[in-house]
Amino acid sequence: MKRNTAAARTVGSFLVDRGVSRRSFLKYCIATATSLGLSPMMGSVMAENLAKAKRPSVIYLSFQECTGCMESLTRAFSPSVENLILNSISLDYNHTLMAPSGHAAEAAREEAMAENYGSYLVIVDGAIPTGGPGFCTVAGHDAQDIMREVAAGAAAVISIGTCASYGGIPKANPNPTGAVPVSEIVTDKPVVNIPGCPPIPEVMAATLAHFLSFGSLPELDEFGRPMAFFGNTIHDRCYRRPFYDEGKFAKTFDDEGARRGYCLYELGCKGPTTYNACATVKWNNTTSFPIESGHGCIGCSEPDFWDKGSFYAPVSAGLFSGKEGLIIGTVAGAALGAGAAWNARRKRNKRLAEQGEGGTS
Ligand code: SF4
Ligand code: SF4
Ligand code: F3S
């Protein structure tokens, strides 16, 4: 069948057909391996494995979302290798992008699941409502039922965006639909979280590349996030950090301090308590990121970021130490509570990986 033929092709042949040279492919793999915390030598292994890897069948589910995550992932500049990696999956179901609709679309999902049961990848954006039937249905089926049914045959589930990872804006107070993250519905498989509103496409591409190359997911932290990209705060890597350390702050968005590029802490920047790779990977083909554009980080990759008070109020003194961004105080209490829950999930992920039901390390 047409889709199977496409899925059976290797990632390497797909990239060659699109004019990617071996040199630029190797360069991408070495950079990706390094960004994942692997040695450059593993970049060569990654290139070799990735070239031979079969294009995986991917079922992409969207629930309570705004399509921003999809926009982020499909936003192409020049056809970078990252974008081609994202394109080199066999996207068998995605109700935003696929040509079929209605019964034909659902039939394509069921067919892809049956043909690739146990080996397909599931990517999810959007939170899942639990407050009552009918808040989010696709083809007459409730979001929770679809999520459980599709996850049952998956090799891995990847939640992209803050909505899928933590509930995001749909879960914001008063959460009228009872929105929950994917990991609260899928409890018998490891779930990778790539938060961000939207998430960084390169992080998604690197996570996919790792899975395709090594058959496992990259090392995850206690929130289920790829450690290599979420191991540091924005503040740890921010180019305005020297100004913070010198106590030089912009007081308004158009004062002399702002013009000189001073630290945006007093204007509400949440970089000190936000874990993401924006300061290093950046956005729009490494063009910039919010802080470089003159606005503080609003903490969009953190749980409950929408409910943590004004985006323009400074992170309270005492919520982090100046040097390391160590969180203490009230928010820390909440974070530790959340951390405990996520820690339980992390242990579950490890257990499942050891049992060979998933691939997290
Ligand atoms: Fe939209 Fe943000 Fe939710 Fe993605 S995480 S679906 S960009 S609201
Ligand atoms: Fe950068 Fe914000 Fe930290 Fe200032 S507070 S150094 S702008 S991350
Ligand atoms: Fe979001 Fe902050 Fe990055 S607002 S895009 S995590 S700089």
Side-chain angles (χ1 to χ4, degrees), residues 290-316:
I291 292 168
E292 199 169 339
S293 303
H295 194 284
C297 167
I298 63 169
C300 79
S301 57
E302 289 295 307
D304 302 325
F305 79 101
W306 201 260
D307 292 326
K308 285 181 175 166
S310 168
F311 292 148
Y312 300 98
V315 178
S316 303

Side-chain angles (χ1 to χ4, degrees), residues 190-352:
V191 176
V192 184
N193 289 320
I194 303 184
C197 186
I200 300 175
E202 285 82 355
V203 175
M204 178 74 201
T207 305
L208 268 179
H210 192 287
F211 183 80
L212 294 176
S213 308
F214 305 117
S216 66
L217 296 163
E219 187 182 8
L220 306 179
D221 70 3
E222 68 269 29
F223 284 78
R225 307 173 294 197
M227 183 82 92
F229 296 104
F230 294 92
N232 295 101
T233 63
I234 304 281
H235 188 63
D236 286 334
R237 302 288 168 87
C238 180
Y239 75 103
R240 297 194 192 219
R241 179 63 181 266
F243 290 125
Y244 173 89
D245 291 337
E246 288 171 28
K248 291 181 175 170
F249 302 104
K251 310 285 182 191
T252 67
F253 285 106
D254 58 358
D255 68 4
E256 188 53 28
R259 273 188 283 279
R260 290 177 180 225
Y262 286 177
C263 170
L264 302 172
Y265 171 79
E266 294 191 2
L267 293 171
C269 179
K270 304 296 183 286
T273 51
T274 301
Y275 289 78
N276 204 345
C278 308
T280 46
V281 179
K282 298 193 181 180
W283 286 87
N284 298 340
N285 217 11
T286 72
T287 302
S288 185
F289 72 113
I291 292 168
E292 199 169 339
S293 303
H295 194 284
C297 167
I298 63 169
C300 79
S301 57
E302 289 295 307
D304 302 325
F305 79 101
W306 201 260
D307 292 326
K308 285 181 175 166
S310 168
F311 292 148
Y312 300 98
V315 178
S316 303
L319 288 183
F320 66 106
S321 80
K323 199 74 186 159
E324 299 300 334
L326 176 68
I327 304 169
I328 55 172
T330 347
V331 168
L336 288 173
W342 283 97
N343 215 18
R345 277 182 207 134
R346 181 183 173 218
K347 283 184 185 153
R348 181 203 71 200
N349 279 351
K350 279 203 161 170
R351 178 175 49 78
L352 291 168

Side-chain angles (χ1 to χ4, degrees), residues 64-70 125-126 160-164 168-170 196-199 305:
Q64 289 174 298
E65 46 81 36
C66 74
T67 318
C69 289
M70 172 63 66
D125 65 17
I160 61 162
T162 300
C163 295
I169 293 172
C197 186
F305 79 101

